[in-house]
Structure formats: structure tokens, C-alpha cells
Amino acid sequence: MEALGLTPEMVVVLSVLGLTVFLFVSEIVRVDVAAIIIMVLLGCLAALPGLENLVDVRHLFDGFGSNAVISIIAVMIIGAGLDRTGVMSSVAAWITKVGGRTEGRLIALISTTVGIISSFMQNVGAAALFLPVVNRVAVRTSVPMSRLLMPMGFCAILGGTITMVGSSPLILLNDLILGINETIPETSKMKTFEIFDVSPIGLALVATGILYFIVLGKVVLPKSPGPQVSRGRSLLKYYERIYGLKGEIHEIAIPAGDDCNGKTIDDLEQSFGIQIIAMSIGGKTVMEPTRDLVISAPAHLAVIGEPSKFKAFLTDNGLTEAPRLTVFAASLGGDKSGIAEVVITPEASIIRKTGREIWIRRIFGLAPLVIYRGGEVLTRDRAEIGRTAYQAGDLLVCHTTWAELTRLEANKDFVVVTSDYPREVLRPEKLRWALLFFTIALGLVLFSDLRLSLCLLVGAVGMIVTRVLSIEEAYDAVSWNTVFLLASLIPLGQAVQATGTAQWIADQFLTLLNGAPIWMLQAAVAVLATAFTLVMSNVGATVLLVPFAVNIAIGANADPALFALTVAISTSNSFLIPTHQVNALIMGPGAYKVADFMRAGGVMTILFLIVSLVMLNLVF
């Protein structure tokens, strides 16, 4: 192979690459803004004499219509559609139920599931689908999203190495091998790979990623709580500081034959001064149960109460508290219900009436915990709350479901003070349509030759046409900062390849290893592929480096197919900076900084190289 000389265009591209890395690492501006700056800079530089071939300005913005970007937009819409029908909430409920509040167990469940899914669909698609799941799990368990999203994202990338259809480089590899076979000696011709030939390597990588975050997650993951967790904790402190209200929810099992059996909700609340906000009997959960509801053991209760009164309730009835919410993990999650403040209006029909008279829980879905009047807490006592007549301006601190609170906003008797709660309108009746079009999209991805973006858009458009989502909701589902980040970086990758900069870097790197042993050459190829995929698309890196790797293997009397596969696997080793589509996707929701990726991704990059090289040589 003839070595390339360094041209002025290459110098410019190398300088722009350095500026890109500096902007990403320093975070002087947001990463999506930095990417836009780089895109505009490349366009301006291409207008200078002698740099016309730097980038084709006529196609500078083609990235916004690229296969990858349109695919991401479509997947986000599909994920929002599934979430709107309650599918993602059910998955989150299962993960929460099995994983509890243990961070390591949650990481293992989420990451394993995403890793398996991404082995049969594009990793960015799997990550986008699971974004709402992770969000719900974080809210329900109080584990910050920042502690869950990065393991999920990394394992989505790793899962793409489990099958030959899990990532674009592996899909492309067999075509590259067939093309290269036409140009190399008969004795060196390579066989193509079957779909599950790489499975042992991919499974080992996913397992490594999961174990890495379970063992070292407390060290490498960001320690700051995510926005949802911060909000949940700060609200509980707010209610305690302002109203003296302990808002923790306790789950209690009522065994068969217990003294509570046969008593009403009112009996227990009036006797012990507690508030029962949910009851589960025979797998059916009743939110804000009315006072006349009879407890039929075995049952489970969700209780809010002052510590002394709650303790007395447990002691007198010989009951024990569950260590965490399990039965009520889904129904009492922060995305479904919580504590809210409502004010009684001057013309309300309930003025001078008590909560017991108007059956406030049955009619309005409100379980009052505090009555706040005239700047003071009037009462927190459960017995008094029900018998206190309401006045205009009374502020009620209540436990309620967000669905009930949404309906209450249209009621003229109340002004809803709490504003930042999830106003989700679920459409479970659209579940079949959502699953149908998700299945159609997935089937087209796996079994047709249509472009990935078109396959996914079929699912997205289908959900909009069948009104699983409105078009406005579809627009809202798209993370536009992610779209701009990815689309703006595409011209840089094209410039690196088109100007010969990528080939020049490869030449310099591989010249240093002339005469080295085979294992060192293979490791060098893996490192080079890793470096290239950080600054250009993994497909571009694969196309460029597979021919180099094959020729190096032939010259060293090594297995050319093994070296080609080394490149295709190593282009998934993209954890160090958020240039990979999956990393860009999770950066905003996880509130990550580039330094977070460098800290966690640096170790993962080394582990990936070690495990992949060992497994490649063991399997092949």
C-alpha cells in the first residue's frame, strides 16, 4: 500500500478534529452547540482557496436527512407510542418489582434486557425504546437516572456485537469480505460469518459491561442525583418543613386471620390516626380507598402516618412493615401518584361541608393529609381532618393520583397549586395498534432489505395514523438536541475520510508496528478501530480499516477473516466521548458531562479491548 503524504486539507481536518475534542472535553459550550459550530466551520473553510475538497458544501446539511438520524427520530416516536399505551410502564413495573431499590440489581436487569434487544435491532433503537423505562424506574426507586442510563447505553452498544445483524459494521462485514476476496490470492480468501458466529464474543462483552458497573459503578458513575430524584426528595422535605408532614409511604401485609380482617378503612384510620392511601386484595389495587371499604385478609395496605402513630398501629396489630414497596411499586410510583396541594375557591360548593360529608376520596380522588388555613397548619390529625368543615382559601395537602389531579384542574371548586406533575394521558385502548406497528417495524428491520430509517418510519407513521400518538406528541417525543448533535457531526466524519486523513492516520499508526508479532498487530488494529470510531462513523471506520487489516494479516501470515472481524467488533468500542449515537442520546436525560464519559468510558474501553481480543482468539 502506497503511503499518503500530508496535504493542507489533512492539516485543516486534523486541526478541526483537535478543536472538536477540545470543545467536547472543556464544555465551554454544550456538545450539541459545539457540533453545530464545527459543521458551520467546515462549511466556511471549504469556501477558502485550496480547501474546496474539504467538504461538499452542497451536501453539508445532508446529515439531517441521513439514515441514522431519521432512524433515531422514528425510534423515539415508536418508543413514545409504546409508552403512551402503558407498555413501558409495565416493563418498568416488572423491573422495579424484581430489582427493588438495589442499584446493582436494577443495572443488571435493565442492561441485560437492553443488551438482548440490541442484538436484533440497532443499538440506538434499543436505547431509545428504553429511555422511558429507565425514567420510570428512576422515579419509582429514587435511584438517579444518571446511575442507570449510562450502564443501559453502554450495554446497548455492547449488545450490538452479539449477532451479525446487531450493528451496522457487522452487517456490512460480509459484503466487505466478498468484495476483498476478489482482490486477494485464492489461498487467502475468507469465509463469511453466520448470524450467531460472534455470539460468544458479544455475550462476554455484555457480561463484562454489567459486572463492571455492578462492581465499580459507585466509583465511575456520577454521584449527583438526577432531576427526578432531586425533585422527589426536595418535595418531601418541603412538605415536612412547611406542614410538618411525614410523607413516606409504608407497605404492610395483612395476613389471613389478623385482627384487621373485617374492619373498615375508617375503623383503622380513626383508631390509629393513620391514612390508608391504597389497598390491594387478590391482586387488585384500590387507590385512595373510601372509608366504608372492608378489609378482607390476606391484603396489603399502603399507609402514610406520623412515626409514633404508625408504630402503634404495627405494634397493636402485630404487623411488620415491608422493607420497600413491592405490591404498590407501580401504582404508587412517582410517575403515577404523589402529594399535591389544592386550594378551595371562594365559590366552591363544598364550603362549610366536611370531607366525610362530601366523600372527598370517592368523589374527587383526594386523601387529605393536612388542612392549612390562615398561614397555619389547622390539623394533621386523621380523625379531625374528616370532621373539619372547609372554608374558602383552605389549602389541602392531599395524596392523589396524577390522573385524578388532572381531572380536578377542570373543577371550579378547587385551584390546583401543584403544577409540575406528570400530566400523562395513557391510551391503553391503543395497545394493539402500538404493538402491531412496532412488530411490523421490527419485522421489516430483520427480514427486509428496506433502509433502516424507512422500516422504522413505517412503525412511527402507523402509530400517528392510528392515533396512538398525535403529531404534536410525536414532535415532543423527539430529542432535538440529540438530532442536531448527530447530524452536525456527520460532515466531520465525511471530511476525515474524503480528504484521506483517516488513511494517513492509519498509515502512520501501522508503520510503527512493522515486524511486530501477530497478537500485537491484531491489538494495534483493534486500538486503531477504536480511535477511528470516536471521530467518525463506525461504518466509515469499518469500510476504511477492514482492507488495511486484511492486508496486514496476509503479510504476517495471520487469519485475514479474524483481523477483519477484529475491526468490525472494535468499532463498537465507543465509550470515551459522546460521539456514538447511543451516548449522544443519553447525555441530555442523564445530565452527563463529557468528563463522566471519559471516566466511566475509559475503563470500559480498556476492558472491551482485553475481553474482545481474548474471545476473538478463543473462538476463532
Side-chain angles (χ1 to χ4, degrees), residues 19 45 48 80 127 139 172 197 220 231 318 326 354 384 393 408 429 450 474 504 524 534 545 564 601 605:
L19 175 61
L45 290 173
L48 297 177
V139 170
L172 181 65
D197 282 352
V220 299
R231 177 182 174 274
T326 53
T354 68
E384 290 183 15
L408 206 64
E429 72 278 3
L450 294 176
W504 181 83
L534 293 176
L545 292 181
T605 298

Side-chain angles (χ1 to χ4, degrees), residues 22 93 136 192 218 544 568 594:
F22 170 75
R136 293 179 182 274
T192 56
K218 293 186 182 299
L544 179 70
V594 174

Side-chain angles (χ1 to χ4, degrees), residues 470-511:
S470 68
I471 188 64
E472 289 79 13
E473 290 169 334
Y475 290 146
D476 290 341
V478 178
S479 175
W480 294 107
N481 60 330
T482 299
V483 170
F484 273 82
L485 171 62
L486 296 179
S488 300
L489 283 178
I490 287 175
L492 176 59
Q494 293 172 342
V496 170
Q497 190 167 349
T499 60
T501 305
Q503 185 174 346
W504 181 83
I505 295 172
D507 286 342
Q508 307 309 307
F509 192 84
L510 297 175
T511 299

Side-chain angles (χ1 to χ4, degrees), residues 5-28:
L6 193 61
T7 66
E9 289 178 338
M10 293 181 189
V11 173
V12 171
V13 171
L14 288 172
S15 300
V16 174
L17 275 175
L19 175 61
T20 304
V21 173
F22 170 75
L23 289 175
F24 277 8
V25 173
S26 65
E27 294 186 297
I28 296 174

